[in-house]
Amino acid sequence: MATSDFAETDFEGAPSRLAIDPQAVARNYKRLAALTKAECGAAVKADAYGLGMAEIAPHLAKVGCRTFCVALVSEGLALRRLLPDATIYILNGVFDPPAAREAGLIPFISSLDALDAWPDDLPFVLNIDTGMNRLGVALPDALQVTRRPVMIASHFACADTPHHPLNALQESAFRAARSAFKDVPASFANSAALLTRPQSHYDLVRPGIALYGGTASPDLAPLEVAVRLEARIVQVREVETGDSVGYGAAERVRRASRIAIASLGYADGYLRAAGGTNETNGAPVFVNGHITRLVGRVSMDLVALDVTDIAAKRGDYVEFIGRNVPLETVAQKDGTIGYELLTDLSRRAVRRYGPL
């Protein structure tokens, strides 16, 4: 639902709701930008990591962000309509040079074939593989490139693990590339490297997850929380000791319990792995001032939570991600990372943009 079509009653009455604070993202950007002498850009790919690029990018621009990274040309075209004067890089490259030319989009060129297909008169970033073995021109080939890029770039594979030996190996390879492009600006650092590897900042840093309140590294505290996902209780029921809850009878309660059923499931992007079993506790949730946990499997549209010791009733909201239930805590339970949760945020929740 677009902000202009939004009514507060829609939010307050919604079975599930997603509060997103663009100002928190902007404040996180300012904190990150203050940590470096390089220009601080922003990764707003994947619809600003699921939070809504149309709402987030203008707030970033208002606090001084001038350079943005997206993955796809379609994202770049949408962003250009929002920010006519921004520098926009396309990380996955371009197959349609005329469209990129018209919109002033600058691709990361990651192979010699792509470089051959890119017009000589258009700017490009030479993306160099320094050891991640994902996108990027191999270093020996990059050193033979004679066309002048507007920037050289690479990407860390393990910056979220600061002591991983691959970080130093990648930095060494990038220094070799820098020696061949001495007067060309360089960009290497993502969120984690911005926070832990100042030697990799160069001319442009490209934070992503840290902008949105995610943890860029297990050793680092997240920045300001920017999102809260909630869903309403639709029923509270009594179950007896030993009764199973949910599909597959995956979990049986160990005591007589009150179980609340809330209107959220994997169809909303809340991962099935968050559920509980007889061997493992379900993900934490927060209801009426108390932390509790999920019971049994997450199903398509519903989850169950233990409210035996909590005053909870039909219509109460449960926080699934937010200040009281950190994104990374849920991600760890799900066996994934905050990036995946954010980019798959509830498809059906009513969204409100403003303070949490």
Side-chain angles (χ1 to χ4, degrees):
M1 179 178 296
T3 303
S4 58
D5 299 328
F6 178 79
E8 186 66 24
T9 52
D10 297 325
F11 189 73
E12 294 303 328
S16 59
R17 60 191 189 183
L18 191 61
I20 298 167
D21 189 350
Q23 294 285 5
V25 177
R27 288 190 292 270
N28 285 339
Y29 172 83
K30 291 175 69 176
R31 287 179 60 188
L32 292 167
L35 298 177
T36 180
K37 295 180 180 179
E39 179 187 357
C40 188
V44 293
K45 60 184 180 174
D47 201 25
Y49 285 48
L51 302 193
M53 185 175 69
E55 293 284 347
I56 298 299
H59 280 83
L60 290 170
K62 286 178 183 177
V63 295
C65 186
R66 297 291 176 263
T67 299
F68 296 83
C69 296
V70 295
L72 309 176
V73 169
S74 58
E75 296 174 330
L77 296 174
L79 184 58
R80 176 60 72 211
R81 290 190 289 271
L82 293 169
L83 301 175
D85 300 323
T87 298
I88 302 173
Y89 293 117
I90 309 298
L91 299 176
N92 286 16
V94 169
F95 287 96
D96 186 359
R101 180 197 295 269
E102 183 175 354
L105 308 177
I106 304 174
F108 274 43
I109 296 292
S110 297
S111 70
L112 296 183
D113 289 344
L115 184 59
D116 288 342
W118 187 247
D120 289 346
D121 62 331
L122 294 184
F124 68 95
V125 175
L126 184 63
N127 189 31
I128 301 167
D129 177 44
T130 54
M132 188 175 186
N133 286 308
R134 194 177 62 170
L135 287 181
V137 179
L139 181 59
D141 292 334
L143 297 179
Q144 302 305 312
V145 170
T146 57
R147 290 172 59 180
R148 181 180 174 86
V150 296
M151 186 168 68
I152 64 168
S154 191
H155 193 66
F156 280 102
C158 303
D160 57 349
T161 308
H163 303 296
H164 197 289
L166 184 55
N167 293 322
L169 292 174
Q170 286 193 262
E171 287 170 334
S172 177
F174 198 63
R175 285 195 296 272
R178 288 271 290 162
S179 68
F181 297 91
K182 292 181 180 179
D183 299 324
V184 175
S187 179
F188 199 1
N190 56 4
S191 290
L194 191 164
L195 292 164
T196 65
R197 310 191 76 82
Q199 69 272 25
S200 71
H201 288 187
Y202 296 109
D203 301 288
L204 173 71
V205 295
R206 314 186 307 263
I209 190 67
L211 293 171
Y212 309 108
T215 301
S217 168
D219 298 330
L220 300 170
L223 280 81
E224 187 173 344
V225 174
V227 61
R228 183 180 70 244
L229 173 64
E230 297 176 300
R232 283 185 119 169
I233 294 172
V234 295
Q235 182 180 357
V236 179
R237 63 183 311 113
E238 307 285 339
V239 297
E240 298 299 326
T241 303
D243 282 354
S244 65
V245 178
Y247 280 123
E251 183 171 2
R252 296 181 182 276
V253 299
R254 296 179 176 86
R255 60 174 179 167
S257 303
R258 294 176 69 243
I259 300 296
I261 311 300
S263 185
L264 193 78
Y266 56 76
D268 301 288
Y270 189 77
L271 299 184
R272 189 169 180 265
T277 70
N278 290 330
E279 291 75 36
T280 61
N281 286 337
V285 294
F286 183 79
V287 56
N288 293 340
H290 298 274
I291 290 286
T292 184
R293 67 174 187 89
L294 300 188
V295 179
R297 289 180 180 169
V298 174
S299 55
M300 183 180 291
D301 312 298
L302 297 165
V303 293
L305 53 140
D306 186 350
V307 294
T308 307
D309 302 315
I310 301 170
K313 64 185 185 303
R314 179 180 180 274
D316 288 348
Y317 277 101
V318 179
E319 180 185 306
F320 290 84
I321 298 172
R323 289 196 178 98
N324 302 290
V325 185
L327 174 71
E328 298 300 334
T329 299
V330 182
Q332 184 177 16
K333 162 59 187 171
D334 292 344
T336 185
I337 55 177
Y339 299 76
E340 183 177 13
L341 292 185
L342 277 184
T343 55
D344 205 23
L345 281 172
S346 180
R347 302 178 182 92
R348 295 185 291 194
V350 173
R351 294 189 171 205
R352 183 190 71 185
Y353 290 89
L356 300 187

